[in-house]
Amino acid sequence: MYPRELQCFGLGMSELAVMTCVAGHTPRKSIKGSRQPQSNNRPNRTVKIVITGQTQPELSAQVVGNCLASMPHALRLAQRGIVGLEGVTRCGRLNGILSCRPGLNLDARFSRFSRAASPRDIITAQKGDGACIIEGFLTPEITKRLNKDITAPLLNLRPGHRGTDPDLQDLHGENTKRLYNLASHSRTWREDIINDVAFHAICHEGLGKQQGDYWLSMAHVIEIGPGSLAQPLHVDGAQWWPFWNMSPGDPEIMLNFLVAVEDTTVENGATRVIPGSQRLSYRGDGEEQSAASWEEDDAVAVPLKAGDCLLIGSRVVHQGGANITTDSHRKVMTMTVVSSCFTPEEAFPLLIEREVARTLSDRAKKLLGYKEVTPFGSAGLWTGPAEDRAKVLGF
């Protein structure tokens, strides 16, 4: 086992080196919707990195190169409080030993699980690293049927955002299609996917145990077309204003299941995640508690095989990657689940035909807003006049 200082740079050698690097400031891009001011006038900071270990006769050029390449990323994480700088002075020069805090994974190899894994292990990894991967979350058969269901509706969609908000146009992408109302478009989705036992077990572990009932906020297929630019970096929790008053240690309010409908690659726009960014804190007045903007170089692409799922929470900074291909479409289904004390983004009871809704299972009805929900401490939400919503609707 190598010393932590050595491990945090992902070096495969144990050598003694002391070096000083200068990490210059470059303009940062703000997280979408984060509302905090930017500053492009921060001075360069000098950081001494001490790599400890068994002394070798010569210092490898590879070791030096890896350290130099890692410095800007490591320093940015240190400035956000996600890694520690020991012996830091406050006179504009950061002099100290760079050390990783427990749980940070600088090389961003997120934990991988099978769909049969313990939901507790899955949620623990997702919280610790900001994301985790569930391999084979959808079976090949279900993935194939889902693809068949959505092919025609996707072909009939035009790409881009339909509104005039330039920020949303950037977020949605000029050559990106988004297919909503999956319950109406896909029998596979409404009968198999949203009734999946593993899906609900993970939701219960990550949301239900601490907050009571959960329900679906939104589900759609995102198809990033060839030549698309990367999305702006963003956090999904920004949809609900209490997010800005919550700290990283508060209960999770949201889980997002990003499921590859077809293989995603670095080239066709695989989702990119900034590991450790879920530890960032915000204040309700819109000011930063710590730096709230990131470099796109901090984001790590997470390619998926068809049927695999990338699981993230409300706080982790991420983006859909750029599609630099000429003929490949990146298709991912997102299912965003929130505590039932938050309003869903999609108004499912207004979108789904009543006759289709009647065929849903009781579990699916509750997930989509056709039954009463009960967060902890509540006497019941989404009801009729003192009656369960399902009864009022005649279900």
Side-chain angles (χ1 to χ4, degrees), residues 293-307:
S293 53
W294 298 81
E295 307 286 355
E296 288 199 3
D297 288 345
D298 293 332
V300 177
V302 186
L304 300 171
K305 294 293 185 184

Side-chain angles (χ1 to χ4, degrees), residues 94-121:
L94 304 181
N95 299 306
I97 300 174
L98 183 67
S99 61
C100 287
R101 289 184 183 173
L104 180 67
N105 191 358
L106 279 182
D107 66 0
R109 293 191 178 96
F110 297 110
S111 298
R112 289 178 173 268
F113 300 91
S114 73
R115 58 173 278 114
S118 159
R120 182 177 181 180
D121 291 344

Side-chain angles (χ1 to χ4, degrees), residues 344-357:
E345 296 162 272
E346 274 191 275
F348 297 108
L350 301 180
L351 298 174
I352 303 170
E353 294 290 338
R354 180 176 288 255
E355 292 310 309
V356 173

